[in-house]
Amino acid sequence: MLKSKTIAIANQKGGVGKTTTAINLTSALGILNHKVLLIDADPQDNTSLGLGTKIPCEKSLVHLFDENSSALQQIMQTHSPNLDLIPSSVNLADLEINNISKNVFELKKALDKIKDKYDYLIIDCSPSLGYISVNSFIAADSILIPIQCEYLAMEGLNKLLKTIKEIKVNFNKELDIEGFLITMYDKRLKHNQHIINELKAYFDDLVFKTVIKRNVSLSEAPSFGTNIFDYKIESIGSEDYLNLSREIITNRNKMKNTTKTLGKTIQQIMNDNKETNVVETSIRKNHLKHFEPFDVKKKNFNKLKNLTKEEVIKRLGLVYNDIHSNIWMYRVSERATVFRKNFLYLTFINNRVQSIELRRFRRG
Ligand SMILES: Nc1ncnc2c1ncn2[C@@H]1O[C@H](COP(=O)(O)OP(=O)(O)OP(=O)(O)O)[C@@H](O)[C@H]1O
Ligand SMILES: [Mg+2]
């Protein structure tokens, strides 16, 4: 029999789908007959509420940080098959503030005593990299990172990956990345496919094949205190989370028979350094008949001044973002790494380029 596996769901960027994934992935694993414990490690207690738990609740994760109390007593059953829960409470926030220097192995110690009862333990982390998240990463075998499909989706990831790496080096050598999960994908938005391609280029087969699409039922279910399967089994969201759970189960079985880690290692990701010197205009630029490529050196920026939108398209191709009609953004990569990106911003007034600015983004 496989030993139990603990997965922390984390990204310190807020609102990217951590809790939605925690609730529906655990419910799906339970439906597929795996015994699952969901641990709500966010003082906002959205996970606990989303599964219909009445808050305040006597049981709470906070007691797992107290040596004298039993972890077993903090577990409650949910209405979903094979799914138990350790709820959160606002007291977790105090713990976060007051125990910075306390033992970071506290949660691992507590979970070690109960984990044999389960196939999967899933921790829903808060959008912070504080004491409780560090405890969670030390208790975990792997980390699942949801990434919302939007511009600059990877912003801030640097800090998260650095923290994971530090924890791997200093406290938890076995820690791995379970995968990057693309959430809230919307095929109607042109740039969404572009973002998926970019994530796959950087993170390779560490990106889950399953992509979670934007689906209104997923956002409605928590207000009914339930998961997507009880709320709307026929929805696309329910299909996506079932596929995700199957993918996680399959990957785990694959890993059982091999000593290789899947995908790039954390170190490889951090070192990835692509050297290009072009403006990365839209992939559609090849379809433009009279394309006059523009050498994007700073000294050439002035040549863009006062050009009309049509003239800019002739030189740079179609815009990378099409959200703001009067601010166009082109990605410029010169020695760009995953974490450092340059963007050329063109501001139009009366259909002519008024200002040109190179902005540098550091992710993290
Ligand atoms: N695939 C989806 N389709 C539509 N809405 C979604 C989807 N995933 C999440 N949402 C909605 O987006 C919002 C943020 O999601 P969620 O609470 O899961 O993010 P989070 O990362 O846990 O946030 P926090 O960082 O605050 O804990 C919620 O209102 C949720 O219902
Ligand atoms: Mg959350």
Side-chain angles (χ1 to χ4, degrees), residues 193-246:
Q193 189 55 45
H194 195 109
I195 291 163
I196 291 191
N197 293 343
E198 192 179 40
L199 285 168
K200 287 196 170 151
Y202 286 130
F203 298 125
D204 221 350
D205 53 0
L206 272 185
V207 180
F208 284 107
K209 289 188 186 66
T210 308
V211 169
I212 307 296
K213 296 178 222 41
R214 191 172 277 283
N215 176 235
V216 70
S217 304
L218 282 170
S219 56
E220 289 166 353
S223 50
F224 293 89
T226 190
N227 57 42
I228 191 68
F229 309 103
D230 281 337
Y231 178 64
K232 217 171 253 181
I233 186 83
E234 71 282 10
S235 66
I236 195 80
S238 117
E239 192 184 314
D240 284 347
Y241 276 107
L242 274 172
N243 283 337
L244 175 67
S245 68
R246 285 202 194 93

Side-chain angles (χ1 to χ4, degrees), residues 18-78:
K18 295 182 285 293
T19 298
T20 307
T21 300
I23 293 177
N24 296 305
L25 169 64
T26 52
S27 301
L29 287 167
I31 288 167
L32 295 176
N33 251 337
H34 293 268
K35 197 92 185 74
V36 189
L37 176 64
L38 171 55
I39 298 147
D40 185 356
D42 186 348
Q44 297 178 94
D45 51 42
N46 291 350
T47 304
S48 312
L49 291 167
L51 275 171
T53 310
K54 293 204 169 49
I55 300 285
C57 169
E58 272 177 24
K59 297 178 189 291
S60 163
L61 176 63
V62 85
H63 302 305
L64 265 65
F65 292 83
D66 170 2
E67 278 187 15
N68 301 320
S69 118
S70 145
L72 213 50
Q73 280 172 8
Q74 308 313 321
I75 298 174
M76 57 190 292
Q77 285 188 325
T78 69

Side-chain angles (χ1 to χ4, degrees), residues 176-339:
D176 226 328
I177 290 186
E178 185 68 32
F180 295 88
L181 175 68
I182 295 163
T183 62
M184 299 185 231
Y185 170 72
D186 189 339
K187 71 168 191 272
R188 289 168 303 179
L189 299 176
K190 276 183 260 161
H191 62 276
N192 268 219
Q193 189 55 45
H194 195 109
I195 291 163
I196 291 191
N197 293 343
E198 192 179 40
L199 285 168
K200 287 196 170 151
Y202 286 130
F203 298 125
D204 221 350
D205 53 0
L206 272 185
V207 180
F208 284 107
K209 289 188 186 66
T210 308
V211 169
I212 307 296
K213 296 178 222 41
R214 191 172 277 283
N215 176 235
V216 70
S217 304
L218 282 170
S219 56
E220 289 166 353
S223 50
F224 293 89
T226 190
N227 57 42
I228 191 68
F229 309 103
D230 281 337
Y231 178 64
K232 217 171 253 181
I233 186 83
E234 71 282 10
S235 66
I236 195 80
S238 117
E239 192 184 314
D240 284 347
Y241 276 107
L242 274 172
N243 283 337
L244 175 67
S245 68
R246 285 202 194 93
E247 198 177 336
I248 287 178
I249 296 165
T250 312
N251 283 348
R252 189 174 173 195
N253 290 337
K254 262 195 234 157
M255 293 292 289
K256 198 175 55 169
N257 302 320
T258 165
T259 49
K260 262 184 19 202
T261 23
L262 292 170
K264 294 183 185 180
T265 63
I266 297 172
Q267 189 61 46
Q268 278 170 324
I269 292 170
M270 308 278 297
N271 288 344
D272 212 355
N273 198 357
K274 302 203 162 174
E275 276 201 48
T276 47
N277 228 328
V278 289
V279 182
E280 293 181 22
T281 51
S282 156
I283 30 182
R284 288 167 296 161
K285 75 182 175 196
N286 292 337
H287 300 303
L288 291 171
K289 284 210 175 89
H290 308 288
F291 189 68
E292 302 163 14
F294 175 75
D295 187 9
V296 67
K297 297 224 172 74
K298 243 190 167 156
K299 62 176 170 48
N300 286 337
F301 284 178
N302 269 345
K303 293 186 187 162
L304 294 169
K305 191 106 192 220
N306 286 324
L307 294 186
T308 63
K309 288 182 178 172
E310 290 68 29
E311 288 164 340
V312 169
I313 287 174
K314 263 194 182 176
R315 285 161 182 80
L316 295 182
L318 295 169
V319 263
Y320 179 62
N321 90 345
D322 43 15
I323 288 178
H324 309 284
S325 56
N326 287 323
I327 302 176
W328 284 12
M329 184 171 112
Y330 286 97
R331 201 170 70 185
V332 180
S333 2
E334 25 162 317
R335 299 201 104 245
T337 69
V338 189
F339 308 112

Side-chain angles (χ1 to χ4, degrees), residues 104-113 115 135 138-139:
V104 285
F105 286 90
E106 217 65 59
L107 183 60
K108 179 181 169 53
K109 248 170 44 195
L111 292 183
D112 276 350
K113 290 184 196 141
K115 69 181 190 189
N135 259 273
I138 289 174

